[in-house]
Amino acid sequence: MYLAAETWTDLEAYFEAESLALIPLGSTEQHGPHLPEGTDHLIAEAFAREAAERTGYLCTPTITVGVSPHHRQFHGTMWADAPAFRDYVESLTRNLATHGIDRVIFVNAHGGNVDHLREVGRRLRDDGTMYAIEWMWNDSIPDLVDDLFAHNGPHGGPKETALIQHLHPDWVHDDRLEAARDGGLVDWENGARLQHGSRTFYDAIENTGNGVLGDQTDATAEKGEQLFEAATEQLCQLAEWLADRDREALLPPAHV
């Protein structure tokens, strides 16, 4: 069920019967010369909408701008300052509690959002409002991602390229995949700027001239479909698991 497509009177039955919602979140930021700037929020929305369709749980509209100042040197990147992002997501999530939602899955597809969504979840849990957790699609299927690609790259790499090839093939510049690979950083594991155990960089451009990481030429729509099906199944299972939990068990234990 997609919240924005329903009337308030039709939503009443859902809120009487269910207490779970999916909130898709991503970013609007550079993804190299080959992928659209909406890559992350397009991926998050696809997973959340598909999981909602399969399970019957509620999916909210997508939060399309995230914490992305580390991509600001590249044209078109949009971002929210971290405190503003946290406060906005918290406020939006709290208003769902007004309607009876007491458990939420943040369906996230942008690494820059992870820590902030965890913080929002803690705030909501600690004051007893609800239990909200962050879900990142590639973290749900790490073995498959590793099996499909030799050089993943955490941003604009083959896994994201494959997903967009599957979901929005017309928005991928397949003729630029080699340029994306050659102008970026292929071996993220060994090529990032690290000194004596410290990350010495703050912005993507300090590691990659065109903004992306990994070997994009290793991506195909078929691989993207594999990723999408496998991760969607994981998200559906997570939703069912969360819906079955007793509310009191989800809230903080009492002090010893």
Side-chain angles (χ1 to χ4, degrees):
M1 177 180 284
Y2 181 50
L3 187 150
E6 303 292 331
T7 68
W8 74 265
T9 54
D10 292 328
L11 285 166
E12 181 178 9
Y14 181 85
F15 291 124
E16 287 179 348
E18 302 290 352
S19 58
L20 185 146
L22 307 172
I23 302 179
L25 308 94
S27 67
T28 300
E29 64 184 22
Q30 71 83 17
H31 273 78
H34 63 302
L35 291 179
E37 302 231 345
T39 289
D40 288 345
H41 75 248
L42 292 169
I43 290 172
E45 183 172 87
F47 279 123
R49 292 286 293 271
E50 183 64 21
E53 180 70 22
R54 296 185 188 185
T55 62
Y57 293 120
L58 186 69
C59 177
T60 74
T62 303
I63 297 175
T64 59
V65 176
V67 182
S68 303
H70 49 293
H71 294 294
R72 69 189 187 278
Q73 289 92 344
F74 297 96
H75 301 310
T77 293
M78 302 180 70
W79 69 92
D81 290 335
F85 175 80
R86 290 192 296 267
D87 288 348
Y88 176 76
V89 174
E90 180 181 350
S91 178
L92 181 153
T93 307
R94 282 187 187 279
N95 76 50
L96 290 173
T98 302
H99 308 298
I101 297 297
D102 66 7
R103 55 206 73 192
V104 161
I105 300 173
F106 295 125
V107 181
N108 179 40
H110 173 50
N113 294 340
V114 173
D115 291 343
H116 309 291
L117 294 174
R118 292 283 298 172
E119 171 61 24
V120 170
R122 171 170 285 283
R123 293 180 188 177
L124 294 166
R125 179 175 179 263
D126 284 357
D127 68 14
T129 300
M130 66 170 63
Y131 184 77
I133 52 175
E134 185 265 348
W135 178 84
M136 186 80 168
W137 71 270
N138 52 281
D139 288 340
S140 75
I141 51 169
D143 292 340
L144 178 59
V145 173
D146 285 342
D147 288 345
L148 288 179
F149 309 110
H151 295 289
N152 296 323
H155 179 74
K159 61 190 177 189
E160 290 184 333
T161 302
L163 273 177
I164 299 298
Q165 286 173 326
H166 169 58
L167 297 169
H168 299 282
D170 292 343
W171 292 6
V172 180
H173 296 273
D174 287 316
D175 59 331
R176 301 177 185 173
L177 297 183
E178 290 187 7
R181 177 197 62 198
D182 296 343
L185 175 63
V186 173
D187 189 356
W188 163 255
E189 295 291 334
N190 297 309
R193 291 175 55 180
L194 300 172
Q195 290 292 336
H196 309 293
S198 176
R199 283 180 54 155
T200 61
F201 61 93
Y202 283 93
D203 296 331
I205 200 169
E206 295 176 77
N207 280 308
T208 166
N210 66 4
V212 292
L213 307 159
D215 182 0
Q216 294 75 15
T217 65
D218 205 12
T220 65
E222 291 73 23
K223 290 181 180 180
E225 183 177 13
Q226 285 183 260
L227 295 172
F228 187 74
E229 288 300 318
T232 298
E233 180 59 28
Q234 289 296 309
L235 179 55
C236 290
Q237 291 183 28
L238 175 62
E240 298 290 3
W241 173 87
L242 184 55
D244 287 343
R245 301 277 73 74
D246 180 75
R247 185 179 190 278
E248 294 305 311
L250 296 173
L251 297 178
H255 192 284
V256 295

